């Protein structure tokens, strides 16, 4: 079980958190195209390597926060309050 | 006993038995005695017993081989506990020990005839022999299972034992308390780290325990040093089962605690692996005969338990441990019939004898008489935990064993035999340096220099020229591995699975390297390219009890739970909540609500206090219906959908003030809905000013339902209950039973005139009892969840998750009137618009009446048409006490949803029942006269 360093609470067991999805997918609220909507709902990049994502600290501060994680090594490059991570980086998948 | 008499030696300097305490037990029905500190096996051997079990496939006689926990031949039935590791388990007074896997008796096992038909039981025999014809598989299984190894599990109803869990956060955890491991723990402890030292056996010391005077002297010093450190916790008879991400380490503590076993989940700063070495058996004909054992087994039996393992021995030695065994056996009065020294190129060809070793044929063909054959042919590094940390060990051909590669994470270190060889002093010095460095890494002090620990050259000895066992647990021979390779299973992973070598209880500890060596030979490859399989958790078997352990899941009860229990409640476990299912007769409870008045504790209802100028925006976003026009003092029913249009939750929300709402959600959905709303607020609309406070347990909730409920409530509240001023779907705040700040609203889940009171939790019992006291002449009785389910079904009110499922979009649940597509945005809007455009071509929730009014089709019964095509299912069903007939809801396709449609329901016994679709979902009071009264 990995440790996740919550930006509000500090390092905690990953069982306290829920992965809340890849970041950067904009909700196409005005779309009239089912294909576009369902692409947003169901299709994810799921890269092998670095990815930006949202996490939820359900058993702690109950805050959503942003992070960049390597899906191979589970290493976190940064963890920040929601929407406050560094700008897009070259290696970043998202 | 095969050779009666006293096989106990005179007192030995390192012995662990207490000769002043006798232990009496039975072995296959015969009374036997040993001493406290004896393992089952050492006590049996002291009485001259050498035959411990029959093997898995061929039912060959087997004796002690390793004299450790993992001895493949020493699993017993002890009382009602199967598969007890008899070379580890200490024998207790009164134990009833029996051999497993033998019929009718250990001595005369009928199934040893399997040996004669061994060619049918070759590698892959399961797959080949029994694959066809397919319909016969159940018959094959029945026969094969009688041949499967293992003891008898306890009968159903046997009182279960208690297992526990513990969490630990040591700076340093040391695996293995041999000289290097103890030294590492000492030095880490001296550096100020908190340390846990885990030892598989009952005492620390590793191989020093059965060594000579010099080793015992070192051990005494180490023991004293570790005992002096309060920050070093020593866990004996405990095993590290696995290492996971970020040094999450599992430890099974088998004794020394009040429970049967305890699982420790440790988050470790630095993990020090000092697992030592496991002695490897040699493959030759007869290598599984009783009387063939490893040199460490001979040293353990003589040194720790003062048991003489034989009278006349051949020792095949390639190393100093074999040489030490020769010296010890000589001291113990065992005649050394021949020393076969592998370092001089000598070897053995086969062990002779039936049922027990009677002699040894040497490499040169000469034969030597002996009843004991001791082998010391090399070591296997138990690199499991290093594997689990990502290390891929490399084969050291000179030392003839794997060694850790230099690719461990900085939080994992190795010391001792698993890493290299040395004198006791060198092992201790290395352990000390690693321990100090481990503490530094965990606590951030200055680096420590670690000396080199080289590996001694060792002849590469795996198999003789004869056919013998590579896996004693699974009865796999070297020739089986060779034939697997010939059949194309030449990758180590495939060969292992095809032959089942290394797949038995010892999981490769004794078998893996020999299997690989045979495979390397058979395929003309070197060791490194043949490879080894990756060891995964658990290192040692874990009982299911230890995994289940004690549950730390919290239990939630309402403040009225004591009252319920005092009044004969049948509890209902609903997630974390314990709720009142009923108080004896749910049908009567339901009927009493229809005729008089009932009260139910609905405290687990999820309740959120929602405040802020943008609160109504949140309601409009998460509910499908319109909230802009809800007046202060009013209550509205709402449905929430997920972004795929599937019904997520439902409930009522009241507007208590300008910017203040009380939302209720289903008990089981409360956590999900809270997170769902926070997700919208935190990640999509962070500019909105809304604050959500969960008050589920802060306010207890009591629902009063029935025609007499207004009269009852009027007796204990100042709130004006006049139906003109306080009609259906309104909310009032006021005093109830003298309790201020109560919230009362009129809703009607049961279909009756009904008031729901939300009362500050600490006053809930007072309000409840006041209601009971004041309702005696009105026919009051408490009702439970079951009566509520009956009542709501009679009224045709759906339950999310019961009458809907993970695919039910809102239009399917008949919720169309509550979906306001005119709103700018709400969760599920797009999908629900597309569902609506499908013109009803989706499942529909309908009320159905069985033609036979007495028949209640079980929930989840399938609805079929034509040639048994499944088209729907019954979602809820009950016998209605009001209508005295069955009532049910069902999901059906469009063309079966029109009123009057006849449905075919399949009952569990396979018979069919017919039901008719009703006009309205409500069976009772479809016009809503009663609840609006």
């Amino acid at each position: 079980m990995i440790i996740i360093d919550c930006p509000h609470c500090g390092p905690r067991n990953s069982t306290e958190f829920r992965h809340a999805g890849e970041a950067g997918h904009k909700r196409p609220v005005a779309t009239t195209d089912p294909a576009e909507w369902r692409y947003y709902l169901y299709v994810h990049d799921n890269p092998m390597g670095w990815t930006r994502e949202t996490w939820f600290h359900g058993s702690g501060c109950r805050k959503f926060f942003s992070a960049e994680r390597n899906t191979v090594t589970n290493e976190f490059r940064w963890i920040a309050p929601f929407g406050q991570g560094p700008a897009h980086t070259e290696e970043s998948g998202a | 006993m095969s050779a009666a008499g006293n096989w106990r030696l005179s007192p030995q300097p390192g012995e662990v038995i207490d000769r002043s305490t006798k232990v009496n037990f039975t072995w296959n029905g015969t009374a036997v005695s040993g001493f406290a500190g004896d393992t089952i096996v050492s006590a049996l051997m002291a009485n001259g017993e050498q035959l411990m079990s029959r093997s898995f496939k061929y039912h060959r006689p087997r004796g002690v081989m390793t004299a450790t926990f993992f001895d493949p031949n020493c699993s017993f039935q002890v009382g009602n506990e199967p598969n007890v590791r008899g070379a580890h388990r200490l024998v207790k007074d009164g134990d009833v020990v029996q051999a497993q896997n033998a019929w009718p008796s250990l001595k005369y096992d009928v199934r040893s005839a399997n040996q004669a038909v061994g060619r049918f039981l070759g590698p892959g025999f399961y797959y080949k022999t029994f694959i066809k014809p397919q319909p016969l598989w159940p018959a094959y299984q029945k026969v094969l299972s009688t041949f499967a190894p293992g003891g008898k599990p306890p009968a159903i109803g046997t009182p279960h034992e208690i297992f526990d869990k513990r969490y630990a956060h040591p700076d340093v955890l040391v695996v293995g308390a041999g000289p290097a491991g103890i030294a590492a723990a000492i030095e880490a402890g001296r550096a100020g780290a908190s340390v846990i030292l885990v030892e598989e056996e009952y005492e620390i010391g590793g191989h020093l325990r059965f060594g000579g005077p010099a080793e015992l002297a070192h051990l005494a010093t180490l023991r004293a040093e570790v005992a002096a450190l309060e920050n070093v916790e020593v866990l004996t008879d405990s095993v590290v089962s696995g290492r996971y991400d970020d040094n999450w380490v599992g430890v099974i503590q088998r004794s020394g605690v009040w429970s049967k076993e305890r699982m420790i989940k440790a988050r470790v700063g630095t993990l020090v692996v000092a697992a030592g070495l496991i002695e490897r058996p040699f493959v030759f004909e007869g290598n599984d005969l009783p009387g063939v054992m490893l040199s460490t087994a001979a040293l353990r039996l003589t040194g720790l338990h003062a048991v003489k393992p034989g009278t006349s021995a051949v020792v095949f030695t390639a190393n100093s441990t074999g040489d030490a065994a020769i010296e010890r056996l000589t001291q113990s009065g065992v005649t050394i019939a021949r020393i076969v020294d592998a370092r001089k190129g000598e070897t053995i060809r086969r062990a002779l004898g039936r049922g027990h070793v009677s002699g040894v044929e040497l490499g040169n063909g000469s034969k030597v008489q002996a009843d004991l054959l001791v082998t010391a042919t090399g070591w296997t590094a138990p690199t499991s935990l290093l594997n689990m940390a990502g290390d891929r060990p490399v084969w050291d051909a000179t030392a003839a064993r794997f060694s850790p590669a230099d690719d461990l994470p900085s939080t994992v270190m190795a010391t001792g035999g698993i890493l290299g060889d040395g004198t006791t002093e060198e092992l201790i010095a290395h352990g000390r340096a690693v321990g100090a460095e481990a503490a530094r890494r965990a606590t951030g002090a200055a680096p420590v220099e670690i000396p080199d620990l080289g590996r001694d050259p060792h002849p590469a000895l795996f198999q003789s020229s004869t056919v013998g066992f590579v896996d004693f647990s699974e009865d796999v021979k070297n020739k089986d591995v060779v034939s697997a390779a010939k059949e194309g299973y030449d990758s180590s992973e495939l060969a292992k699975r095809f032959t089942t070598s290394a797949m038995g209880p010892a999981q490769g500890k004794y078998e893996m390297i020999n299997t690989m060596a045979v495979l390397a030979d058979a395929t003309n490859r070197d060791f490194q390219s043949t490879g080894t399989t990756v060891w995964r958790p658990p290192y040692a078997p874990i009982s299911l009890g230890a995994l289940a352990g004690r549950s730390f899941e919290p239990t939630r009860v309402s403040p009225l739970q004591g009252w319920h229990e005092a009044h004969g409640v049948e509890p209902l476990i609903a997630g974390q909540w314990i709720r009142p299912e009923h108080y004896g007769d749910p049908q009567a409870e339901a009927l009493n609500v229809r005729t008089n008045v009932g009260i139910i504790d609905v405290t687990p209802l999820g309740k959120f206090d929602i405040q802020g100028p943008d609160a109504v925006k949140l309601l409009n976003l998460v509910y499908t219906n319109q909230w802009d026009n809800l007046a202060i003092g009013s209550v509205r029913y709402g449905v929430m959908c997920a972004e795929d249009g599937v019904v997520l939750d439902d409930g009522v929300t009241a507007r208590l003030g300008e910017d203040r709402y009380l939302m209720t959600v289903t008990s089981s959905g409360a956590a999900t809905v809270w997170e769902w709303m926070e997700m919208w607020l935190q990640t999509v609309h962070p500019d909105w000013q809304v604050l959500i406070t969960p008050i589920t347990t802060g306010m207890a909730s009591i629902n009063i339902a029935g025609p007499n409920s207004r009269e009852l409530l009027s007796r204990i509240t100042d709130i004006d209950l006049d139906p003109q001023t306080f009609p259906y779907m309104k909310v009032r705040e006021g005093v109830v039973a003298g309790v201020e700040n109560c919230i009362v609203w009129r809703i009607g889940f049961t279909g009756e005139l009904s008031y729901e009171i939300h009362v500050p939790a600490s006053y809930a019992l007072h309000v409840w009892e006041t209601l009971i006291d004041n309702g005696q002449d009105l026919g009051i009785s408490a009702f439970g969840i079951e009566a509520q389910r009956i009542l709501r079904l009679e009224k045709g009110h759906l339950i999310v998750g019961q009458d809907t499922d993970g695919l039910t979009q809102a239009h399917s649940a008949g919720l169309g009137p509550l979906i306001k597509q005119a709103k700018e945005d709400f969760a599920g809007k797009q999908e629900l618009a597309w569902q609506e455009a499908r013109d009803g071509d989706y499942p529909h929730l309908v009320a159905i009446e069985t033609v036979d009014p007495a028949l209640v089709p079980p929930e989840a019964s399938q609805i079929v048409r034509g040639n048994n095509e499944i088209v729907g299912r019954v979602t809820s069903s009950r016998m209605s006490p009001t209508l005295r007939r069955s009532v049910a809801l069902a999901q059906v396709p469009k063309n079966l949803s029109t009123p009057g449609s006849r449905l075919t329901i399949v009952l569990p016994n396979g018979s069919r029942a017919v039901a008719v679709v009703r006009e309205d979902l409500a069976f009772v009071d479809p016009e809503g006269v009663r609840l609006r009264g």
Side-chain angles (χ1 to χ4, degrees), chain A residues 16-75:
Chain A
E16 293 190 5
F17 300 83
R18 196 178 68 78
H19 180 258
E22 287 177 357
H25 296 279
K26 194 159 168 51
R27 184 169 172 258
V29 62
T31 186
T32 55
D33 176 10
E36 183 186 359
W37 180 256
R38 286 163 194 167
Y39 191 88
Y40 158 74
L41 276 189
Y42 303 120
V43 182
H44 307 293
D45 298 335
N46 194 23
M48 182 174 164
W50 291 103
T51 181
R52 291 177 167 229
E53 33 192 43
T54 303
W55 285 79
F56 176 62
H57 193 188
S59 301
C61 56
R62 298 196 59 82
K63 294 283 188 205
F64 288 80
F65 59 87
S66 300
E68 189 171 353
R69 182 178 63 100
N70 189 309
T71 57
V72 178
T73 63
N74 267 335
E75 180 190 347

Side-chain angles (χ1 to χ4, degrees), chain B residues 622-662:
Chain B
V622 296
Y623 280 125
T624 60
N625 51 341
Q626 180 61 257
W627 293 82
D628 287 331
N629 54 356
L630 184 70
I632 295 172
S634 284
V635 178
R636 183 166 287 170
Y637 173 75
V639 171
M640 297 183 189
C641 287
E643 289 279 57
D644 54 5
V646 169
V647 179
L648 187 69
D649 205 89
D650 69 345
V652 297
T653 290
R655 188 170 181 195
L656 300 174
E658 183 60 32
D659 297 330
R660 181 175 161 235
Y661 293 83
L662 174 64

Side-chain angles (χ1 to χ4, degrees), chain B residues 561-570 582-584 768-769 772 782:
Chain B
Q561 180 65 15
W563 190 94
H564 301 321
E565 286 172 9
H567 290 80
V569 74
E570 178 68 26
H582 60 76
Y583 304 86
W768 179 270
E769 289 185 325
I772 296 278

Side-chain angles (χ1 to χ4, degrees), chain B residues 576-802:
Chain B
Q576 294 177 339
W577 285 99
I578 312 293
R579 309 191 64 180
E581 168 105 44
H582 60 76
Y583 304 86
D585 186 350
Q587 290 270 315
E589 289 167 18
L591 206 51
N592 191 57
V593 169
R594 292 267 181 255
T595 51
N596 296 307
V597 62
I599 57 173
I600 180 171
D601 175 9
V602 290
T603 298
L605 199 67
K607 297 180 280 290
F608 298 106
D609 174 274
I610 301 177
Q611 299 194 38
D614 295 312
V616 71
K617 290 185 185 170
L618 176 68
L619 299 181
N620 273 327
L621 185 61
V622 296
Y623 280 125
T624 60
N625 51 341
Q626 180 61 257
W627 293 82
D628 287 331
N629 54 356
L630 184 70
I632 295 172
S634 284
V635 178
R636 183 166 287 170
Y637 173 75
V639 171
M640 297 183 189
C641 287
E643 289 279 57
D644 54 5
V646 169
V647 179
L648 187 69
D649 205 89
D650 69 345
V652 297
T653 290
R655 188 170 181 195
L656 300 174
E658 183 60 32
D659 297 330
R660 181 175 161 235
Y661 293 83
L662 174 64
M663 172 189 281
T664 61
V665 301
T666 63
S667 308
S668 55
T672 310
V673 173
W674 187 20
E675 181 182 332
W676 178 240
M677 293 193 292
E678 286 291 347
M679 186 279 290
W680 287 106
L681 291 177
Q682 291 182 33
T683 72
V684 184
H685 297 290
D687 53 321
W688 287 2
Q689 292 182 52
V690 188
L691 193 67
I692 302 170
T693 309
I695 55 167
T696 301
T697 45
M699 301 283 269
S701 303
I702 301 167
N703 190 284
I704 312 169
N708 295 341
S709 54
R710 181 177 296 122
E711 170 59 25
L712 171 61
L713 185 57
S714 71
R715 294 178 180 180
I716 65 167
T717 184
D718 299 337
I719 298 171
D720 181 6
L721 301 180
D722 186 307
Q724 299 305 315
T725 51
F726 188 179
Y728 181 57
M729 293 308 264
K730 295 292 174 188
V731 60
R732 299 288 179 265
E733 291 180 87
V735 178
V736 177
V739 179
E740 294 173 356
N741 300 317
C742 288
I743 298 168
V744 180
W745 60 31
R746 274 193 68 181
I747 54 168
F749 192 44
T750 59
E752 287 300 318
L753 172 65
S754 167
Y755 298 86
E756 194 157 278
I757 311 171
H758 305 292
V759 48
S762 47
Y763 294 104
L765 182 59
H766 166 72
V767 172
W768 179 270
E769 289 185 325
T770 306
L771 284 164
I772 296 278
D773 291 347
N774 282 273
Q776 293 304 313
D777 61 316
L778 301 172
I780 192 170
S781 74
F783 66 106
I785 301 295
E786 175 58 16
Q788 189 189 47
R789 285 197 204 114
I790 295 169
L791 292 161
R792 70 88 201 179
L793 182 55
E794 288 178 343
K795 178 60 185 166
H797 284 151
L798 66 86
I799 294 179
V800 173
Q802 166 94 33

